[in-house]
Each structure stands twice: as C-alpha cells, then as structure tokens.
Amino acid sequence: MLQDSMSRASVSSGSLSGDVVTQEADERPFWLHRPLIRWGLLFAFWTIVGVFYVGRYSVLMWMNDRPVDTGWMTMTLVGWWMWVWQTPVIWMLARRFPVERPLKWGHLGIHVAGALIVVTLATLLYTGLARLIIPEANADVSYATFLLEVLVSTLPFDLLLYGAVVGVAQGFAYYRQYRRREIRASQLKTQLARAQVKALKMQLHPHFLFNTLHAVSALMDQDVKASQRMLVLLSELLRLSLDNVDQQEVSLDQELAFVQRYLAVQRIRFGDSLEVDFNVEDGVGNARVPNLVLQPLVENAIKHGSAPEGHTSRLLVSAHTEGDDLILSVTDNGAGLPSGDGAPPTEGIGLRTTRERLHQLYGPEYRLRFEPSATGGLTVSVRLPFHTEIVNTVEILAISE
C-alpha cells in the first residue's frame, strides 16, 4: 500500500498538465465551459490511469503465478481518484498566488502551507477509506501509526508533484499573458490602420471636390447650361460619396457608377475631345474594391494623359480577374512616360493618397503600376486580392500577413 501511494504520485506527475491546462485555455472547446462535463472528464482521465496501473499489476501477478489482491486493486483506483479533487485545488492556488519575479515571499509561504495541507488531507482521506474498505489491512497497527507511515513515505513525492503542478500553472499563465499582449498589439495595429485609412480618405474627398468645382468654374463663363448640368452631376457625386463615406470597400459596380458620373462631368467640360470606354469582365461587379480607388486614376489620366491639341483623348477603364487577383486599370493615349523606369514623373495628392490607402489596406498584396500602353499612352493598373464578401479592417490586414 505504501508503494502504491508513492506510485500514485509518480504517475500523476507526468499527466497532470495536459488535462488542467486544457481547462484554462483561452479558446476552450464548448464542453469545457460546463463544470459537470469538466469534472466528468477529469474523473475519467484519472480512472483510465488507475485502470492502466491496476492492469499492469495484474499482469505482473499472473506472470509470477501469484494471486491478485482485489482489495489492493480497489484502493489503487481510490488513490488515483484522490487527484480528481487535488488537481483543481492546486491549480486554483497556483493561479491565485503565482510564484514569479519579483518573488513574493508571502505567496511562497502560502504554497508551502498549501502543499502540506493538501497532501495531508489527501493522505488522511486515503488511509481512512483504506481502513473502511479493507478492515483487515494493517490491523496490527493503530490508525495513527498507519497514517504516519503513509504520510512520511509519500510526502516527498507529493510535494514534488505539488511543485510540478504549480510550475505548469505558472507556465500556462505566462502563455495566457503572452497571448493577451499579442491580441492587444494586433488590436492596436488594426486601430492605427483604421485611423490612417480614414485620414487618407479625408484627404482624398476634399481634393476630388476641389478639382470638380474647379472644372465647373472653368466652364461657367463659357456655357451656363453646361455648368448647371455639371452642378447636378456633382450633387449626385457628392450623394454617392456620402453614402459610402464610412465604408473602406464598396462593390466594383458602385465604384464604376461613381466614376461614370465623374466622367460625365468631365465630358461636359471637354466635349467631343474626350472619349471613354469601359471593358469590365462579366461576374466581377460584386468584387469589393477600396472606396474611390478609380477616380484618382481617371483624374490622373485626364490631367496628364490628354492627347495633343486637336486630337481626341481616349480613356479605357478596365476590370478583369487574373488568378486570385482583380486588376483595375485606366489607359490613356497621351504622351506616356518620359522614361522607361515604370514610375510616373510625379504623384499628386490623388495618386499618392491612393497608394498609401492601398498599402494600409492590403500591405504587400497590392500593386500600383505605371506601364506604357499599346496605343502609346500610359496604363495605370491596380492589382488587389479578389473577394466578394464585406471585409472589415481586421480581415483586410490579415490578407497582408
């Protein structure tokens, strides 16, 4: 029986952490949120360990042609069941009074006292049950002597086990703190990205509005009716812009509708000297794209990609998929790039803000390229991850990880 008590402590040492750590996990399975199921699993675990130990004993007895002591086998299982209540008690003490730097001597003292009390209570309960279940066992000695023998023989190993449980609990506490810090850092990163994207959008809206109003004022002295139509279209643009002011992404159909109205304003301004075509692949209209991503590209093409005087300026707005990406492009028939390095000579507020927004939203997953077009002008293209569901900022950032 004394050997059994020591063996109980030894075997339970190695198997404690897996069961209890599961109880404390931050993302626990639903069944671990229910106390009755938790206790049932804990009981089942120690029962399995006890049955394994009893089976090992039975095989050894059979191999040595010796009778099996059923009373001893029963008390072996009882001994393992002692850990069903010891495990959560030790774990609770470890959580309430952590042993960490800087060392708190009060916590250490509580654990010393707790270890002695828990081990003594477990031994007291175990020996009491042993006398009840097997009255003839150790009948030649008093209960006090029997209790003292068991306590002295198992105390060192039980104390070692207590320390192991505290160590596992402390390690798990460090892991939880690390996870909380990691989650907090991710939240702060997301909040920063949201603030940056919002600030960039605030830069883009006044820039767009100023340029459009400038176009209206330029036409006011030449054609009053045309300028009035431009103001009507501008009001529609502002309504569409305000409808989506809080959205980081809109559908491609919404973005194209906005660009079409913007181009309608510009066509009133430039008349027949501006032609616009759209080439949109079927089935991509519900793709999510950054709000106001095309307007700066179109504005840049009109401003810097106009054909020489006396020629018609042509713009082609395209959208198609390529693998898992969506390609948006605006092509003009202007003078193209002054050099072949693939970069524009300068980036105004619109293009610079667009590039920064794309970087904040998609990280390295986006591309903003400037390439010579087949017509001799310039093609500005944006490559984005293709997705059709509404994605919040946290999920957008996850794309770039």
Side-chain angles (χ1 to χ4, degrees):
M1 186 176 296
L2 302 183
Q3 183 182 4
D4 172 58
S5 300
M6 296 180 67
S7 300
R8 282 190 296 116
S10 175
V11 176
S12 59
S13 165
S15 55
L16 178 66
S17 60
D19 184 70
V20 180
V21 169
T22 305
Q23 297 182 50
E24 291 295 326
D26 286 330
E27 297 179 357
R28 300 177 297 178
F30 76 94
W31 39 266
L32 282 180
H33 290 270
R34 302 180 181 180
L36 289 179
I37 298 180
R38 222 169 34 233
W39 281 102
L41 290 174
L42 194 59
F43 178 81
F45 173 79
W46 289 117
T47 300
I48 292 172
V49 175
V51 169
F52 174 80
Y53 189 82
V54 167
R56 174 176 169 271
Y57 161 78
S58 300
V59 170
L60 289 175
M61 293 297 100
W62 175 76
M63 292 178 63
N64 289 278
D65 234 2
R66 297 172 59 183
V68 176
D69 187 345
T70 55
W72 181 90
M73 294 173 62
T74 302
M75 285 312 303
T76 298
L77 285 175
V78 172
W80 288 111
W81 287 334
M82 291 294 102
W83 289 102
V84 174
W85 69 266
Q86 287 185 84
T87 297
V89 169
I90 298 173
W91 191 269
M92 179 194 68
L93 290 173
R95 288 187 58 191
R96 292 287 302 274
F97 308 100
V99 180
E100 57 187 357
R101 294 182 179 179
L103 181 62
K104 296 180 179 180
W105 292 103
H107 287 191
L108 187 60
I110 288 173
H111 282 295
V112 171
L116 293 174
I117 293 172
V118 170
V119 169
T120 301
L121 286 176
T123 305
L124 183 64
L125 182 59
Y126 176 78
T127 53
L129 289 172
R131 280 298 180 98
L132 290 174
I133 295 174
I134 315 175
E136 67 277 6
N138 302 97
D140 55 333
V141 297
S142 65
Y143 174 72
T145 302
F146 175 54
L147 172 63
L148 185 60
E149 288 178 354
V150 175
L151 184 61
V152 171
S153 62
T154 60
L155 181 62
F157 218 94
D158 285 345
L159 292 179
L160 181 63
L161 175 59
Y162 183 99
V165 175
V166 172
V168 171
Q170 195 62 53
F172 189 78
Y174 284 140
Y175 171 75
R176 293 184 65 188
Q177 291 174 7
Y178 165 76
R179 288 290 301 154
R180 282 196 291 264
R181 286 195 296 267
E182 191 177 57
I183 293 172
R184 180 58 179 162
S186 176
Q187 291 173 342
L188 291 175
K189 178 182 177 182
T190 299
Q191 292 172 4
L192 175 61
R194 284 175 175 165
Q196 290 174 330
V197 172
K198 187 174 182 179
L200 292 170
K201 286 176 65 178
M202 290 174 65
Q203 294 178 29
L204 188 58
H205 280 277
H207 169 76
F208 148 73
L209 180 59
F210 172 80
N211 286 348
T212 308
L213 287 174
H214 179 72
V216 174
S217 64
L219 191 64
M220 189 71 72
D221 294 333
Q222 304 173 18
D223 191 336
V224 176
K225 290 185 177 180
S227 62
Q228 290 175 342
R229 290 198 301 273
M230 289 180 71
L231 287 174
V232 172
L233 287 171
L234 177 58
S235 67
E236 293 182 9
L237 283 172
L238 290 177
R239 179 182 58 80
L240 290 174
S241 177
L242 292 175
D243 286 344
N244 301 320
V245 68
D246 292 327
Q247 298 186 40
Q248 301 294 357
E249 292 185 321
V250 297
S251 70
L252 179 59
D253 283 338
Q254 290 176 290
E255 184 69 13
L256 289 173
F258 185 89
V259 169
Q260 286 169 352
R261 285 171 173 78
Y262 174 78
L263 286 170
V265 172
Q266 299 301 327
R267 293 190 68 180
I268 293 175
R269 176 184 175 187
F270 291 102
D272 294 335
S273 62
L274 177 63
E275 293 183 359
V276 180
D277 289 320
F278 288 84
N279 183 13
V280 180
E281 180 181 314
D282 292 338
V284 299
N286 59 343
R288 308 298 294 184
V289 299
N291 190 10
L292 288 182
V293 67
L294 282 175
Q295 187 273 331
L297 306 186
V298 172
E299 178 185 328
N300 180 76
I302 293 174
K303 183 176 181 181
H304 300 290
S306 299
E309 188 174 351
H311 294 76
T312 301
S313 297
R314 294 183 176 85
L315 299 183
L316 174 62
V317 181
S318 303
H320 66 278
T321 56
E322 201 172 280
D324 294 330
D325 295 332
L326 175 68
I327 311 297
L328 306 175
S329 62
V330 177
T331 301
D332 61 61
N333 64 336
L337 293 172
S339 61
D341 57 3
T346 58
E347 288 190 7
I349 293 176
L351 284 179
R352 185 177 68 250
T353 303
T354 299
R355 183 185 294 277
E356 292 175 0
R357 288 180 64 214
L358 290 171
H359 177 72
Q360 289 296 330
L361 288 172
Y362 303 105
E365 294 298 316
Y366 91 95
R367 294 289 184 274
L368 177 60
R369 298 178 61 87
F370 299 81
E371 301 172 315
S373 68
T375 59
L378 178 68
T379 296
V380 183
S381 61
V382 175
R383 177 184 289 265
L384 307 171
F386 180 87
H387 60 283
T388 57
E389 70 281 1
I390 298 177
V391 183
N392 60 35
T393 308
V394 178
E395 293 167 329
I396 291 174
L397 289 171
I399 297 174
S400 64
E401 293 299 331

